[in-house]
Amino acid sequence: MITALNRLVDLVEEHLTEEFDVDGLARAVGTTEYHLRRMFSSLAGMPLSEYVRRRRMTVAAADVVRGEDDLLVIAVRHGYGSTEAFGRAFRAVHGVGPSDVRRDGGPLRIQPQLRFRLTVEGSIPMDTRIVDRPAFRLVGHAARVPLIHQGVNPHIQRHITALPQEEHLRLKALGDTEPAGLLQVSDDLDPDGTEGSELTYLHGVAVAGDTPVPDDLDAIEVAAGRWAVFRTAGPHPQALQNAWAATATEWFPANPWRLRPGPSIVAVLDRADDFSTATCELWLPVEPT
């Protein structure tokens, strides 16, 4: 995976002013575009699309500062049809327009070329199991919410607290298969993991594929397949979010599995009354590499 990510970085550099084939590279190195993008965003701390934008504007800034060409020529060279479009993209990265930089020489926010390196971690074992599951359904109450990487997501929190207590009890009684208990489900997640991008969040339970679904509940059909299940315990949601990050930095690089499209599921097995601490299971859909 480290080699694949560095080849992806090289591909970005070779095609900074044009589109490039991420899917073709992924297939060439024996993985999928979905998994490659998810691993890139987890390890780089930014989506692939954001890295490409920053690198393009870093190279463009050098052209602007040199002053050898007018701004329209530079804009076209870097894939923009007008100085206005180029200026908006430039300002979004550097915080100032290209004319200001040409006059003052800066300020510039430079994005160095990334290189991924393997470091020895793993001092804390990850409590993991692989589960092979037939098709099942996730049923409950769904909402579209923005992705937030750190801390409590207030949009999800509002969605859950708006449900009356008797509805939680009703859902728990409906669940009849693994993952057990009330579940926090994230689906339709942007493979780049862009903060602020929308996902479908479902508060509900898992039921067998032939279990009838009440008309007033939302349902997500889940295909048969394998799941990596990570058990976490400690401060909530920090312990869970740290484990989620560690799947990319430690577990996937060391194991012959990759992410496949599908929902991510959190099962809360035990928790403090104020939810300050919790024991959880994180279920991620996987397939062999």
Side-chain angles (χ1 to χ4, degrees):
M1 181 50 58
I2 298 298
T3 299
L5 289 169
N6 283 326
R7 286 180 64 179
L8 177 57
V9 168
D10 291 339
L11 189 68
V12 170
E13 294 302 308
E14 293 165 10
H15 300 275
L16 270 179
T17 61
E18 59 193 33
E19 296 301 316
F20 52 91
D21 186 7
V22 181
D23 182 57
L25 172 64
R27 284 186 278 107
V29 298
T31 188
T32 64
E33 179 178 354
Y34 181 86
H35 183 70
L36 195 60
R37 285 182 178 272
R38 288 285 296 268
M39 292 300 100
F40 184 96
S41 62
S42 295
L43 294 175
M46 72 183 90
L48 175 60
S49 56
E50 175 64 15
Y51 173 69
V52 171
R53 186 170 71 104
R54 292 184 188 182
R55 281 298 298 154
R56 284 175 174 165
M57 289 300 103
T58 294
V59 174
D63 289 345
V64 170
V65 171
R66 274 195 295 267
E68 296 174 359
D69 299 307
D70 65 38
L71 294 181
L72 180 58
V73 170
I74 295 173
V76 172
R77 180 184 302 147
H78 291 280
Y80 294 88
S82 68
T83 55
E84 289 79 10
F86 175 68
R88 287 193 296 271
F90 193 95
R91 186 178 293 276
V93 170
H94 297 292
V96 293
S99 298
D100 300 320
V101 168
R102 172 156 287 184
R103 183 186 66 244
D104 303 328
L108 295 172
R109 296 171 183 165
I110 302 302
Q111 173 61 59
Q113 183 176 345
L114 288 177
R115 298 311 289 176
F116 293 91
R117 292 182 175 86
L118 181 63
T119 59
V120 178
E121 301 280 354
S123 59
I124 301 175
M126 298 187 72
D127 186 352
T128 313
R129 59 192 172 104
I130 302 296
V131 179
D132 199 356
R133 295 284 289 114
F136 62 96
R137 289 174 177 158
L138 295 163
V139 300
H141 297 275
R144 295 290 288 174
V145 300
L147 174 64
I148 294 176
H149 288 142
Q150 296 292 328
V152 174
N153 188 317
H155 307 277
I156 291 176
Q157 193 173 41
R158 282 196 295 271
H159 176 64
I160 296 173
T161 56
L163 299 173
Q165 182 60 34
E166 56 268 24
E167 186 62 15
H168 299 287
L169 299 175
R170 174 198 176 204
L171 289 172
K172 288 181 71 173
L174 183 62
D176 62 10
T177 191
E178 276 201 303
L182 284 173
L183 307 175
Q184 303 168 2
V185 180
S186 300
D187 197 21
D188 297 327
L189 183 67
D190 173 11
D192 283 335
T194 308
E195 183 146 18
S197 61
E198 283 201 334
L199 60 94
T200 297
Y201 175 83
L202 181 137
H203 180 75
V205 294
V207 300
D210 57 356
T211 298
V213 178
D215 293 338
D216 62 334
L217 296 181
D218 302 301
I220 297 173
E221 301 291 336
V222 182
R226 287 174 174 163
W227 299 77
V229 183
F230 304 87
R231 191 181 181 96
T232 71
H236 189 79
Q238 294 89 342
L240 178 63
Q241 290 170 338
N242 290 342
W244 204 310
T247 64
T249 58
E250 298 184 34
W251 195 82
F252 280 109
N255 289 278
W257 300 94
R258 67 188 178 204
L259 285 166
R260 59 181 172 86
S264 302
I265 305 170
V266 174
V268 180
L269 306 180
D270 189 27
R271 67 179 181 88
D273 291 340
D274 61 358
F275 227 139
S276 59
T277 62
T279 299
C280 303
E281 283 187 341
L282 169 63
W283 288 61
L284 299 179
V286 298
E287 60 188 6
T289 55

